[in-house]
Amino acid sequence: MTGYRQTLAVPGLASLLGVSFVARTAITAAVMALTMHVVLGLNMSYVAAGGVAAALTTGLALGGPLLGRMIDRRGLRTVLLTTVVAQAVFWLGVPILPYRALLGAAFAAGLLMVPAPPVTRQAIAAVTTAEQRRAAFALESVQGELSYMVGPAVVILCAAKVSPGVVAWGLGAAIVAGGTGIALLNPPLRAEDEADAGSAERPPRREWLGAGMIAVLAMAFGTTTLLSGVDLAIVATLDEAGQVSWAAVVVAVLGLTSVIGGLIYGALSRSLPTWLLLGLLGLVTIPAGLARDWPWLCVAVVGTGFLAAPTLSAVADAVSRLAPAGVRGEATGLQSSAQSAGFALGSPVVGVAIDVSVPAGGFAAAGLAGLAAALTGFLLTRRCPSPRPPTSARRASRQTAPPRSRRESARRGLPAGGRASHRSTGPHPVLRDPNWRRSTG
């Protein structure tokens, strides 16, 4: 636990994880709260509830990179203030909005959702060292698993005691409180050396959104597609066995083993490739469909749960390494969008597989989706060269290079200003600086 103690000792990190957990738990429960409101409050069908959930999810997927880009350009507090106000207005109006208006409002609320998860990842990348980052991202992925275990369950429990409108107000209050807390903490999103090197400038997209980043985003999408599909396959398997009431127990086992796996992965001395973790996750998921009742299904999903949080942690770590500091907000927003899209598409894809075959086909479809994403990531990663430093950082390195004397320049075949002549055979001045890679973030 030494690595975790050192990571949590980083100033402000423990407070950020605690506050963002409040916001994240409420955000993960938003779909359930809207579903309960449409079904119980408006007395409409689950199909109608699914429409509102789809509108919110679509907004989340589209809003991630847009809010991240705003954070990069306008700063954290401006974006948080905007999203907190938008969430307060939406959740206060949920109980009184008619269904058609609720559809549009849910899309807008998703578009302007408090960006708690991507901001937490940005701050982790900024305030931790390379040695602390694996443990920090493991804690962040465990936080995500706990939020999915706690949030929807609390909403269902509260909906049984009070009206759905009151539940919506309470959920909105939690989101507003979490967003306000992050704004008050105002965590740094740039490391000191990144800001000093001028790497906060935005490099062109072609320099960072290349094959390596696309590979990581594809694996983020594949991971959540698999996890979303597994949840549906669990329900379908137990429904066929007449044991659907035990689905909550199996899902709880899945979440608990994911927490354990994430904590173990964060304590390891070295990282594993993201494509390898996702490939193993897909492989152990496929045979889970062989289980026919809930006790064996609890055993069968242990492997899936054990590798879920480590895979999500590796994805976040990879994004933080590939994204220059000046576009880290947009990059983490793209990661959140990829994961939201995976959650949204996983259930329908696996549902088709279940309808045309058997419930075991759902586990197979989810596992194959993970394997396909892992193979895509592996192939793109092999084709991707090491990331170049951003143009702005290279320019800053050239501008801040120490002046050369005429004698040294002549001895190296350079003019007095330090620029290479047509006779120069030595490396570029930036490449002679052993600290250039650090200065680029």
Side-chain angles (χ1 to χ4, degrees):
M1 300 298 293
T2 302
Y4 286 116
R5 285 196 296 267
Q6 293 175 348
T7 300
L8 292 174
V10 174
L13 185 58
S15 300
L16 175 63
L17 289 173
V19 172
S20 66
F21 177 71
V22 175
R24 192 168 185 170
T25 301
I27 291 169
T28 57
V31 169
M32 182 60 69
L34 291 175
T35 299
M36 302 294 283
H37 170 68
V38 172
V39 173
L40 300 179
L42 300 180
N43 295 316
M44 299 182 72
S45 67
Y46 281 99
V47 174
V52 176
L56 180 73
T57 304
T58 303
L60 284 169
L62 295 176
L66 296 177
L67 292 177
R69 191 177 179 89
M70 287 178 60
I71 290 173
D72 292 332
R73 292 190 168 189
R74 304 293 182 183
L76 177 60
R77 281 185 167 171
T78 301
V79 174
L80 286 176
L81 176 62
T82 303
T83 55
V84 163
V85 171
Q87 293 305 308
V89 171
F90 170 71
W91 290 102
L92 283 173
V94 163
I96 61 175
L97 288 175
Y99 179 75
R100 290 179 180 271
L102 186 61
L103 281 173
F107 173 78
L111 203 64
L112 295 174
M113 182 59 72
V114 172
V119 167
T120 303
R121 298 182 194 119
Q122 283 182 263
I124 287 174
V127 303
T128 59
T129 64
E131 293 76 16
Q132 298 167 336
R133 207 155 290 156
R134 186 186 314 106
F137 278 121
L139 289 173
E140 190 270 337
S141 65
V142 167
Q143 179 196 75
E145 289 295 332
L146 291 174
S147 68
Y148 278 104
M149 293 172 65
V150 174
V154 170
V155 165
I156 293 173
L157 180 63
C158 292
K161 303 293 183 181
V162 297
S163 68
V166 174
V167 173
W169 286 342
L171 188 74
I175 295 176
V176 169
T180 304
I182 296 174
L184 292 175
L185 291 174
N186 195 25
L189 304 183
R190 304 282 184 272
E192 292 182 3
D193 58 339
E194 292 172 341
D196 292 342
S199 58
E201 299 179 12
R202 291 186 61 83
R205 230 183 234 109
R206 64 178 181 274
E207 292 192 1
W208 61 272
L209 192 56
M213 182 63 76
I214 292 174
V216 176
L217 295 177
M219 289 185 285
F221 172 81
T223 303
T224 52
T225 300
L226 183 151
L227 296 176
S228 176
V230 165
D231 287 343
L232 183 62
I234 289 172
V235 174
T237 299
L238 295 181
D239 184 42
E240 185 183 55
Q243 301 174 345
V244 72
S245 60
W246 291 96
V249 175
V250 180
V251 172
V253 170
L254 181 67
L256 181 61
T257 52
S258 180
V259 169
I260 295 171
L263 292 175
I264 292 175
Y265 179 73
L268 296 179
S269 59
R270 58 181 298 178
S271 301
L272 295 176
T274 308
W275 61 264
L276 178 59
L277 288 168
L278 180 53
L280 292 174
L281 178 61
L283 285 175
V284 300
T285 298
I286 293 174
L290 298 176
R292 290 289 180 260
D293 52 17
W294 74 267
W296 284 110
L297 196 55
C298 286
V299 176
V301 300
V302 166
T304 300
F306 196 74
L307 289 166
T311 306
L312 292 170
S313 172
V315 166
D317 193 6
V319 169
S320 72
R321 285 186 287 104
L322 290 172
V327 294
R328 196 172 286 148
E330 185 175 354
T332 54
L334 285 171
Q335 177 195 344
S336 295
S337 294
Q339 293 179 182
S340 296
F343 275 121
L345 295 178
S347 294
V349 170
V350 170
V352 171
I354 293 172
D355 288 339
V356 301
S357 60
V358 292
F363 288 101
L368 290 174
L371 285 174
L375 179 61
T376 301
F378 172 72
L379 294 176
L380 288 174
T381 301
R382 292 198 60 177
R383 293 180 56 188
C384 175
S386 299
R388 299 174 63 199
T391 299
S392 57
R394 295 199 300 271
R395 188 183 303 119
S397 299
R398 288 197 296 269
Q399 293 173 350
T400 58
R404 303 179 184 277
S405 66
R406 293 179 180 274
R407 180 176 301 175
E408 180 185 2
S409 298
R411 179 171 57 83
R412 293 176 178 263
L414 298 172
R419 292 186 178 273
S421 67
H422 67 278
R423 296 186 301 273
S424 173
T425 58
H428 192 279
V430 174
L431 300 183
R432 282 196 294 270
D433 180 5
N435 294 320
W436 74 269
R437 193 177 292 273
R438 185 182 307 159
S439 69
T440 65

